[in-house]
Amino acid sequence: KQEKEQQEQIQTQSTENTEIEDGEDAKTDTETEETDEAGDIQKELAKIEEQSIGYENADWSSMGQADMYQLWDDELNSLWSRLSDELDAETKAKVLEEQRAWIKQKEARVKGAGMEVNGGSLQPQLENTVAEEITRARAYILAGYLADVRKESFSIPLEIQKSIDADNLSLDDVF
């Protein structure tokens, strides 16, 4: 019962966040998605950040890292779909190659995070935490690409940029 109440509370918060300031009715999910596609990428990711914070503040028994990972994975897939539709063939091939390399890196890091506890009860939580962090950072990278294609201004928050930079260290950067 508590889980259901918390889910309803999050749905209510989500609906409240989509209301228009001048008092019009709340937008449906489809209308919001269509507006976001035509709107500012920076604002879109800010909304996802707000939802992510809601998950962080939720009771772990009802929501957790898996939900946060799914939130960012859904956003990443949405960004990828729009980006791949808007890129020219040559650039799309380069970004696709980069995306495939990123997926391999993510899978290896997620697996490594779970190995730290040798299959213990914390394994899913650690794996989902790493997956969420990596996917969140990648979503910002793809959002930046999409903003560039659309000639929108876009900046990656410093916290995310530090994470991206740390993930992309080469041996020359380390030594």
Side-chain angles (χ1 to χ4, degrees):
K1 181 179 178 180
Q2 181 183 9
E3 181 178 326
K4 185 175 181 178
E5 288 173 0
Q6 288 173 344
Q7 287 175 346
E8 288 173 1
Q9 180 183 11
I10 288 174
Q11 287 176 331
T12 301
Q13 290 172 347
S14 177
T15 302
E16 289 171 359
N17 290 340
T18 61
E19 289 181 3
I20 302 172
E21 290 182 17
D22 65 3
E24 290 183 32
D25 292 335
K27 298 177 186 177
T28 64
D29 290 341
T30 305
E31 289 170 338
T32 302
E33 188 174 311
E34 289 171 5
T35 302
D36 288 344
E37 287 182 10
D40 182 29
I41 303 300
Q42 193 80 53
K43 290 178 185 175
E44 177 180 336
L45 263 60
K47 289 179 185 177
I48 301 299
E49 286 290 350
E50 286 178 19
Q51 290 177 346
S52 181
I53 290 168
Y55 285 161
E56 286 177 12
N57 295 331
D59 181 2
W60 277 87
S61 66
S62 65
M63 299 203 165
Q65 291 304 120
D67 296 311
M68 291 172 62
Y69 166 67
Q70 191 62 54
L71 174 72
W72 284 107
D73 192 53
D74 290 347
E75 179 64 12
L76 180 103
N77 290 327
S78 172
L79 289 163
W80 174 255
S81 176
R82 289 177 281 159
L83 181 62
S84 63
D85 288 345
E86 296 183 36
L87 291 174
D88 62 75
E90 183 180 335
T91 306
K92 182 177 178 177
K94 289 178 185 177
V95 176
L96 180 58
E97 183 179 322
E98 180 183 299
Q99 188 70 2
R100 287 178 176 151
W102 172 81
I103 290 169
K104 287 180 183 178
Q105 177 189 27
K106 178 185 89 168
E107 289 172 351
R109 288 196 48 211
V110 167
K111 185 177 179 179
M115 294 176 104
E116 289 180 23
V117 292
N118 295 323
S121 61
L122 285 177
Q123 181 177 351
Q125 184 177 357
L126 291 173
E127 289 175 345
N128 285 318
T129 297
V130 169
E132 181 263 329
E133 290 169 354
I134 294 169
T135 304
R136 177 182 178 213
R138 184 65 183 171
Y140 273 93
I141 292 170
L142 294 184
Y145 292 166
L146 183 58
D148 284 347
V149 168
R150 293 181 174 180
K151 300 187 182 345
E152 292 182 19
S153 66
F154 183 80
S155 62
I156 297 175
L158 184 58
E159 169 195 353
I160 303 295
Q161 188 60 54
K162 286 180 180 180
S163 171
I164 292 167
D165 293 344
D167 286 342
N168 292 323
L169 291 176
S170 71
L171 289 178
D172 292 336
D173 293 329
V174 176
F175 296 103

